[in-house]
Amino acid sequence: MLVNATHIAYLHTCNRKLWLFSHGIQMEHTSDIVSEGKLIGETSYSDRSEKYTELQLGNVKIDFYDARNKVVHEVKKSDKVEGAHIAQVKYYLYRLRQAGVNGAIGIIEYPKLRQREEVLLAEKDIHAICGWEADIQRICESDICPAVIHAQICKSCSYQDFCYVGEED
Ligand code: SF4
């Protein structure tokens, strides 16, 4: 199985979400929250899109890459900085490094927070990312779907209806 950035983000969100996604069960297109996130990404960068190109690295696509300055840009609609976002961008930097681009950095924009988070790839991250990839393989290749996590994030997850079918609010 080829690991991509969505797998990495989901590993840092919920193992069940990762498993469902890897088994072709996708509900993101029905989510207003995801649509809103995409809209924020499009509108925030519409005036400076020329600086960035879309970069395909095998099975990984970076939407906004500034090749001149070696900067990966990512826009998140979230109202808080999340570990999953940072992990996703570190993975982009890791894949860039594998492709021979050393020293790239990431910048995550949070328009709702009017905040930006800088992401760097340290040597210890590379070891951790190898572990993430192994964890993803193990979870996705299991025949057993991980249990519902009953966490706050379930309220904004596109799989909420799927996971809590038959349960009262
Ligand atoms: S609703 Fe909760 S348990 Fe289900 S996939 Fe989403 S985060 Fe995981």
Side-chain angles (χ1 to χ4, degrees):
M1 193 192 91
L2 293 172
V3 172
N4 63 34
T6 303
H7 294 125
I8 297 289
Y10 287 180
L11 176 72
H12 288 81
T13 306
C14 167
N15 287 357
R16 180 180 172 89
K17 185 169 184 171
L18 170 63
W19 190 95
L20 291 170
F21 172 74
S22 72
H23 283 73
I25 302 166
Q26 295 189 47
M27 302 178 77
E28 297 285 1
H29 63 283
T30 60
S31 168
D32 291 342
I33 291 165
V34 169
S35 302
E36 186 191 350
K38 286 189 173 142
L39 189 64
I40 284 175
E42 284 162 13
T43 53
S44 300
Y45 279 85
S46 59
D47 59 337
R48 45 184 167 141
S49 57
E50 277 182 20
K51 186 173 166 188
Y52 305 104
T53 52
E54 189 179 287
L55 182 65
Q56 192 78 40
L57 291 169
N59 62 320
V60 167
K61 181 164 72 76
I62 300 173
D63 289 332
F64 295 100
Y65 181 58
D66 174 354
R68 180 183 292 250
N69 298 304
K70 296 201 285 191
V71 178
V72 172
H73 278 257
E74 183 72 19
V75 182
K76 296 296 186 190
K77 59 93 203 166
S78 172
D79 56 9
K80 66 177 190 296
V81 176
E82 292 177 18
H85 304 158
I86 293 169
Q88 178 189 345
V89 173
K90 279 188 188 283
Y91 194 64
Y92 289 146
L93 301 178
Y94 171 74
R95 292 293 293 260
L96 277 166
R97 182 174 147 137
Q98 281 190 319
V101 180
N102 290 300
I105 67 159
I107 293 175
I108 309 174
E109 305 262 10
Y110 291 91
K112 279 188 179 174
L113 296 173
R114 297 187 181 280
Q115 186 179 330
R116 51 170 41 199
E117 184 81 12
E118 188 171 286
V119 181
L120 304 175
L121 186 73
E123 285 301 318
K124 66 177 172 45
D125 293 325
I126 292 164
H127 183 68
I129 288 169
C130 292
W132 298 348
E133 289 181 324
D135 287 345
I136 288 166
Q137 300 282 359
R138 177 180 51 77
I139 292 164
C140 297
E141 286 169 9
S142 170
D143 292 334
I144 300 165
C145 178
V148 174
I149 60 173
H150 297 284
Q152 187 68 24
I153 57 162
C154 295
K155 290 186 165 53
S156 59
C157 177
S158 59
Y159 290 109
Q160 186 188 22
D161 290 346
F162 185 87
C163 290
Y164 291 91
V165 65
E167 291 191 21
E168 298 291 329
D169 285 338

